[in-house]
Each structure stands twice: as C-alpha cells, then as structure tokens.
Amino acid sequence: MRRTIAAVTTAGLALALAACGGGSATPAPAGSGGSSAPAAKTLDGVSIEVAAKWTGPEQANFEQVLKAFEAKTGAKVIYASTGEDTGAYLGPRIQGGNPPDVAILPQPGLVKQYADQKALKPLTAGVLKQIDDNYTPYWKELGSADGQSYGVLVKAAHKSLIWYRDQAFQDAGAQPPATWDDLIKTAQTIADSGTPPFSLCGASGWTLTDLFENVYLSSAGPENYTKLSNHEIPWTDPSVTGALEKIGQLVGKKEFLLGGSSGALQTDFPTCVTQVYGQDKSAMVIEADFVGTTAEESGAKLGEEAKYFPFPKAGDTEPVVLGGDIAVVMKDSEGAMALLEFLASVEGGEIWAKLPGYLSPNRNVSPDNYPAELTKQLAQTIISAGDAVRYDMSDLAPSAFGGTDGKGQWKLLQDFVRDPSDVKGIQAKLEAEAKKAWK
C-alpha cells in the first residue's frame, strides 16, 4: 500500500513543486551535465525491454530518460508496466524463461529473492564503476546479495520529514524544531493554543514504521539501524527501548493526537493529511515528501501554508530515511548493462532530475538540476547525510514482519500507540514476530 501511494503522489508533488519553482519540465540533452557518463556505444538494432511499476506521469517522465538513452546509443527501449505487484508480474515471466532485459524493483528484498533463483545477472565493470563513483557503499550493498552486486538504486522517496500548517504555528507562536526534545515542547505549545499538534495516520501501520525508523536511526545510529534491519540485534535491545520511549512521549499524551489514540488509530493516510490541510483540525503530519500532493489537493499552497521541516534529531544522527527503486538485469545483454550504466551515471541522473516526480540517490547529481526550491532542499539533505542515509527498514524486512496489514510490526506499533506504557512487552512481541519472519 505504501508504495502505491508513493508512486502516485510523489509525481503529483513534484509537478506542484515545479509550478512553485517555475522550473522547466523539459529534460536537458544527453551529456549536458558535463558528468562522468558512460561513453556512447553503438547499439543500433538492439532492443531492450524494461519493466517497472510506474504508470501515468511517472512512466511518461521515465520514458523521456529512456529516449535520451536511445538518442545516445541507437538502442530501442520498450517499456512494460508491471503494475503495483511487481513480483506477480515478473514471477511467471521468469518461470517461463522470458523475463524483461531490465526490471526495476520496488523492494531490496526482491533483489535477494531473484538472486537466489539465479534470475539476475551480476553487474559489469562499467556499471560498478558508476556505482562506486556516484553512490555511497551502503547503496551498493543494498543492490547486492551474497557479496555479488546486482542492482542500482535509481529513484528515491524522502521519508524524514514533518509537514506543518503555517497558520497553526503562527497562532501558537511556535517555530519548527530541530531536536526531538524541542518537537515535544513545540507540540505542547501548540496543544496549549487549542490545536491538537499531530494528525497521526495510525490506521495505516506503515506510517508508524516510518516514525520508528526515523527515531531509531537518529537515536541508535546508522550501524545499529543496519543491524536491526537484518535482525542481527534483537528487538529487545536497549537501543529499541530508547527509541520506543521517545515515541511514547509523543503518542502517550492524548492532547497531542487529534482524536486521542483512538482517533489516531482510525485515521488512515491520506486522511491524516486532509485533517491538517483543508479541514484545519491539526498542525502537523509526520510523513514523506508525497504528503505535498494531498496538501495541495486540499487547497494548501506548497511553501506557504504547507511547509515541512527535517525530522528532528532524536540523538546524534540527522535522520534521512529513503524508500526507492532498484534496477536489475535479467538477461545477458550488452544493451541492458549499458542502460544500467546510463541510469547510474551523473548524466542519466541529471536528465531525470530536471523532470517532475524524481529524487536521485546519486550523490553527484547536483540539487541545482531540480525544478523547484523544495525539491532542491530535499536532494541536498540526501547528499549532506552521506553514509548515514538508510533505506526504509520495514521494506528490508520479510513482508510478514515489516509489510503486512494487521500483522508483525504494523500491528504491534498500533498496539503501542494504543498503550505506550508497556515498552518491554511490545519489544518482546516484536522480537517473537521477527524470529518467525527470519527463520
């Protein structure tokens, strides 16, 4: 579900941001960025099929990037939409011996799954050079399985944001906070002014995993985040205790949540956004860059009434949590590897960055390429975070634990919102569910 929302709304957000920024949505000619792009290859007569989940504006924009690759190489690229269930589309094609040349996967877990099935081709030296030049080692590891590199993270969603209604902050005399302690103080100030500070999207369990991930990354640090993502430390670890206790400071005060905990657990995404923008019932909503689209649809102008601040530090690390899509090769093909080399290059990233609906995980794609100021700011935070950036933890977990409605982490974090007093009890249940999922 979370990926459905991201796919639809990020495109709309960037369209709105482009309008705010007055930038052009026309891509630059290939090579205009002066980047370390792969050398032009002669691929006349070569046909490459690419399968990805994108439809509508996202598909149209990606096809413009593909056209730039075609112009550069002479190859012909055919796009196929997988729909939201990428696995259901690819599975029969893999079994039938007819996979696409390139697939773009919405979850890192699929990289390992298909690598275990021998359905992926190891990346060539040319692609690996682009990754080594343009990405942090963490992103290279994310596209790998059993020490072999198979994938390139080509598109990102920024999940470390809190959106706020400017008028509510003005009415309370509040300022955007920089630390978790300041966030709790700001929430109290807003509550005292008569407005519930948070519209929590508690009915959509994935939003609670996003909240936990940001607090945990900041308070426990990137190394522990990676360990917990792989279940190399237990959910009963003291670092988890600390993160849950901090979240309890927010969800444990009924006046902080619109409708109290009961109301929060009955509010889904995107209803939580419309309660802040349009209905003016609350001051803040904790979620990713794609909140902007619903805010705009509710009548709020981005950058004026609808603003955001970076997720406040709950420890020593400025949290930057990303979701994203990973390109892999499924057929031995010079054309397929050339396309991945292009998508991993600065040149490919800059062409895509000039279009709506895109954030690049490539650290060498300058924020100046983005069409609007808000998008530039988001891109800069990714670059500034460097090696501390981490991928959405629940998307790295087995789906039974990290991605199933009414089960695992989603349900247990909802239980925690309902009663945040028993931190140790929730940790024990999380660990029991994690053990089952990581068998």
Side-chain angles (χ1 to χ4, degrees), residues 212-221 224-225 228 233 239-240 243:
F212 172 81
E213 288 155 10
N214 277 286
V215 174
Y216 189 78
L217 175 57
S218 186
S219 61
N224 279 330
Y225 186 101
L228 188 62
I233 56 175
S239 62
V240 178

Side-chain angles (χ1 to χ4, degrees), residues 18 62-63 86 95 113-114 118 128 131 134 150 154 177 185 188-189 195 201 291 313 319 366 383 385 399 422 424:
F62 182 51
E63 286 176 336
T86 302
Q95 291 171 12
Q113 177 182 322
Y114 294 141
K118 309 297 183 186
L128 289 172
I131 294 174
N134 299 319
Y150 294 102
V154 294
K185 291 175 185 176
Q188 190 64 61
T189 298
T195 297
C201 329
V291 163
K313 285 177 66 174
S366 169
I383 294 170
S399 62
D422 187 12
K424 297 286 189 182

Side-chain angles (χ1 to χ4, degrees), residues 88-310:
Y89 176 90
L90 291 175
R93 293 196 59 178
I94 293 169
Q95 291 171 12
N98 183 37
D101 297 278
V102 172
I104 299 180
L105 308 177
Q107 291 174 282
L110 289 174
V111 176
K112 180 169 181 11
Q113 177 182 322
Y114 294 141
D116 289 345
Q117 295 174 14
K118 309 297 183 186
L120 303 182
K121 306 304 177 185
L123 300 180
T124 59
V127 183
L128 289 172
K129 183 179 188 310
Q130 292 298 328
I131 294 174
D132 290 338
D133 286 350
N134 299 319
Y135 292 79
T136 67
Y138 177 75
W139 296 131
K140 183 177 182 180
E141 188 178 314
L142 201 66
S144 301
D146 299 322
Q148 180 70 61
S149 295
Y150 294 102
V152 179
L153 189 72
V154 294
K155 193 172 190 287
H158 199 304
K159 295 197 163 194
S160 297
L161 304 174
I162 297 181
W163 290 79
Y164 68 99
R165 183 164 53 87
D166 188 61
Q167 191 60 54
F169 269 56
Q170 289 188 37
D171 291 345
Q175 297 294 324
T179 68
W180 182 263
D181 289 344
D182 287 342
L183 176 66
I184 299 303
K185 291 175 185 176
T186 297
Q188 190 64 61
T189 298
I190 293 170
D192 291 343
S193 76
T195 297
F198 296 101
S199 177
L200 198 68
C201 329
S204 300
W206 57 268
T207 67
L208 302 180
T209 69
D210 289 348
L211 171 59
F212 172 81
E213 288 155 10
N214 277 286
V215 174
Y216 189 78
L217 175 57
S218 186
S219 61
E223 289 186 11
N224 279 330
Y225 186 101
T226 297
K227 290 177 182 177
L228 188 62
S229 298
N230 295 324
H231 200 219
E232 293 170 0
I233 56 175
W235 282 81
T236 51
D237 191 81
S239 62
V240 178
T241 308
L244 289 173
E245 286 175 347
K246 286 183 181 297
I247 294 171
Q249 295 173 351
L250 189 155
V251 301
K253 283 201 169 186
K254 289 187 177 179
E255 68 266 30
F256 280 9
L257 305 180
L258 179 62
S261 58
S262 176
L265 290 169
Q266 296 177 60
T267 304
D268 66 2
F269 188 98
T271 303
C272 54
V273 182
T274 61
Q275 289 178 339
V276 174
Y277 303 109
Q279 296 178 19
D280 295 352
K281 290 181 177 179
S282 186
M284 290 179 276
V285 61
I286 304 169
E287 248 316 315
D289 53 342
F290 45 76
V291 163
T293 296
T294 305
E296 195 224 6
E297 289 171 350
S298 301
K301 196 164 185 180
L302 297 177
E304 294 184 12
E305 183 63 353
K307 296 181 177 180
Y308 69 81
F309 51 86

Side-chain angles (χ1 to χ4, degrees), residues 6-28:
V8 174
T9 58
T10 305
L13 167 64
L15 284 166
L17 294 181
C20 291
S24 169
T26 303

